[in-house]
Amino acid sequence: MKLSINPRVQEIEISGIRKFFNLVANDPNMISLTIGQPDFPTPHHIKEATKQALDENFTTYTHNAGFPELRKAACRFVQTKYDLHYNEDEVIVTVGASEAIDVAFRTILEEGTEVILPAPVYPGYEPIIKLCGAKPVYVDTRQNGFRLSAELLKPFINEKTRCIVLPYPSNPTGATLSEEELKEIALLLQHKPIWVLSDEIYSELVFTGTHQSIAKWLREQTIVVNGLSKSHSMTGFRIGFVFAPAWLSKEMLKVHQYNVSCSASISQKAALAALTTGMNDAAEMKKEYKQRMNYVYERLIDIGFEVEKPNGAFYIFPSIRPFHESSFAFALQLAKEAKVAVVPGSAFSSYGEGYIRISYAYSLDTLKEGLDRLERYIKKGVAH
């Protein structure tokens, strides 16, 4: 007897980020610059709110979309920060931004539809798109500073296009889009039957200027994904948000309800503290990330890498082409010989080949040691 499973599940793979992290995780001498995990502790007042929720027995199911006070706080937060206007019926509290993306795609995608992705890009979108029976379509942004533009986008739009993903600030490149760039994309898409999924999980970590959301100019066609993992160092709390017009939120809530019922109640109480008392918690973290970014950028330039300077998130994406190696071979050799782990660019689509991703969500001491090892490795001339 042969038991079967969904062939679409068999076709997708574990994230290349996790694959490489797992490959080197058990070496005690390894300096790992792989994971996008903030190294700051969760702010004290958020932990206290979590304890209080337990003490007050706030341990039951909440409303499927999240308890109303939290949803109102989420709406106030994005209005104050990004001038986005939503009400509590237009936001769902999800199990991290990952579930928000899943819920959005499963609600809007159908068999044979297409989703446009600016590449190199976070690998978490493609598998969900394929599980929905849809097709990912990649736009090469390498010659435009890793930024999607209306000009680059236009040739890829056709009658099958259902959604365009705007993942800015970007993982893996740290690129951001300007107000003018977003307005041009909004103008191109206006009145077309195309959704935009705007993944703004790094919105609080923009170094120059302020974060801009396309939802300001294309609200009725935009699904905004955000969360607290990166901004408030709350990765383990698994709190995300998905904002959309009320009629679409009503449909997405069905998917969310049958998937997880609701987000964890005590995590929701922690999130309320983050969005109220902790509205500006990310500010000090952002200062530190910017300092680290400048340090890593200057070191990479001095070593001889070609690299775009990031303007957000906590990643940098240098080219390894001067060293004539595939990204996986380069990263594997670097890990084996120099005991430094980075993520091969090929984890971020074929357009990431020839690059590596370095996370600077680590202390300056760790970054210095990692880059010292990288520099010695390059100077030995073992990369070829």
Side-chain angles (χ1 to χ4, degrees):
M1 180 179 69
K2 182 177 174 61
L3 299 176
S4 299
I5 64 170
N6 186 341
R8 288 177 183 161
V9 175
Q10 291 179 298
E11 289 171 5
I12 63 176
E13 296 186 4
I14 298 297
S15 160
I17 303 171
R18 284 289 172 177
K19 273 186 181 178
F20 208 82
F21 174 77
N22 294 339
L23 191 65
V24 300
N26 295 323
D27 188 334
N29 298 314
M30 190 72 64
I31 295 287
S32 179
L33 305 178
T34 56
I35 297 296
Q37 166 76 38
D39 65 326
F40 299 96
T42 302
H44 177 74
H45 63 93
I46 295 174
K47 291 188 284 190
E48 289 301 311
T50 310
K51 296 173 188 175
Q52 184 177 349
L54 286 168
D55 290 340
E56 295 176 353
N57 295 313
F58 193 75
T59 55
T60 60
Y61 293 122
T62 69
H63 187 289
N64 293 124
F67 76 95
E69 191 178 357
L70 175 58
R71 284 183 280 141
K72 290 175 183 176
C75 294
R76 287 194 300 270
F77 186 89
V78 296
Q79 180 175 348
T80 302
K81 295 282 188 174
Y82 317 124
D83 195 27
L84 299 181
H85 298 267
Y86 294 95
N87 62 54
E88 64 181 282
D89 296 324
E90 296 178 307
V91 58
I92 301 169
V93 184
T94 58
V95 183
S98 298
E99 197 230 339
I101 294 165
D102 178 62
V103 165
F105 279 154
R106 286 204 282 159
T107 302
I108 66 173
L109 298 183
E110 297 175 80
E111 190 83 27
T113 55
E114 295 182 353
V115 179
I116 297 176
L117 299 165
V121 68
Y122 170 65
Y125 307 114
E126 179 181 318
I128 304 172
I129 293 166
K130 288 183 173 179
L131 286 172
C132 292
K135 177 185 176 182
V137 176
Y138 290 99
V139 177
D140 185 357
T141 65
R142 290 173 295 181
Q143 302 306 312
N144 193 44
F146 302 119
R147 301 187 316 277
L148 186 66
S149 67
E151 183 180 2
L152 286 174
L153 180 59
K154 190 173 182 179
F156 291 86
I157 294 174
N158 59 50
E159 68 280 356
K160 295 181 180 179
T161 304
R162 179 63 57 86
C163 181
I164 293 155
V165 176
L166 291 184
Y168 297 99
S170 165
N171 172 11
T173 69
T176 59
L177 297 189
S178 68
E179 179 175 324
E180 189 58 36
E181 288 169 320
L182 289 167
K183 284 181 177 178
E184 289 176 0
I185 293 172
L187 186 62
L188 173 66
L189 300 179
Q190 196 171 24
H191 307 310
K192 289 183 172 67
I194 297 172
W195 290 104
V196 173
L197 189 145
S198 188
D199 186 350
E200 304 180 18
I201 190 65
Y202 296 99
S203 59
E204 283 293 276
L205 303 178
V206 174
F207 303 133
T208 301
T210 56
H211 173 71
Q212 301 290 328
S213 173
I214 196 170
K216 286 174 66 176
W217 303 283
L218 201 67
R219 185 188 190 279
E220 297 307 305
Q221 291 172 238
T222 299
I223 303 165
V224 176
V225 171
N226 213 316
L228 301 176
S229 291
K230 314 300 184 177
S231 59
H232 289 73
S233 196
M234 293 175 64
T235 52
F237 286 80
R238 309 311 302 134
I239 290 290
F241 304 100
V242 58
F243 299 85
W247 71 268
L248 179 63
S249 291
K250 183 179 178 180
E251 301 301 321
M252 288 194 293
L253 186 58
K254 298 175 189 176
V255 181
H256 170 74
Q257 173 190 342
Y258 290 115
N259 190 11
V260 299
S261 293
C262 63
S263 296
S265 57
I266 57 172
S267 290
Q268 289 191 50
K269 280 289 189 177
L272 180 61
L275 294 176
T276 51
T277 309
M279 181 172 280
N280 294 311
D281 279 347
E284 288 303 312
M285 301 184 208
K286 181 169 71 171
K287 286 181 184 177
E288 181 68 23
Y289 288 135
K290 186 175 182 179
Q291 180 184 358
R292 297 175 188 179
M293 179 274 291
N294 284 322
Y295 173 76
V296 173
Y297 174 76
E298 294 297 338
R299 284 295 305 274
L300 289 172
I301 293 292
D302 289 344
I303 293 169
F305 285 92
E306 298 171 2
V307 60
E308 293 278 348
K309 191 171 187 178
N311 189 45
F314 35 62
Y315 310 105
I316 193 165
F317 204 60
S319 170
I320 59 163
R321 294 197 185 280
F323 312 112
H324 308 293
E325 280 280 8
S326 78
S327 60
F328 187 86
F330 181 93
L332 187 61
Q333 188 179 358
L334 179 67
K336 286 181 176 179
E337 299 191 22
K339 300 297 181 183
V340 181
V342 297
V343 180
S346 54
F348 305 96
S349 84
S350 61
Y351 295 100
E353 182 55 80
Y355 298 83
I356 55 173
R357 190 194 76 174
I358 295 173
S359 168
Y360 48 87
Y362 297 89
S363 70
L364 275 173
D365 287 344
T366 300
L367 292 169
K368 182 180 186 305
E369 177 60 26
L371 290 166
D372 285 348
R373 293 183 186 187
L374 175 61
E375 184 171 15
R376 288 194 295 269
Y377 171 78
I378 295 296
K379 285 184 175 178
K380 280 172 62 179
V382 292
H384 48 268

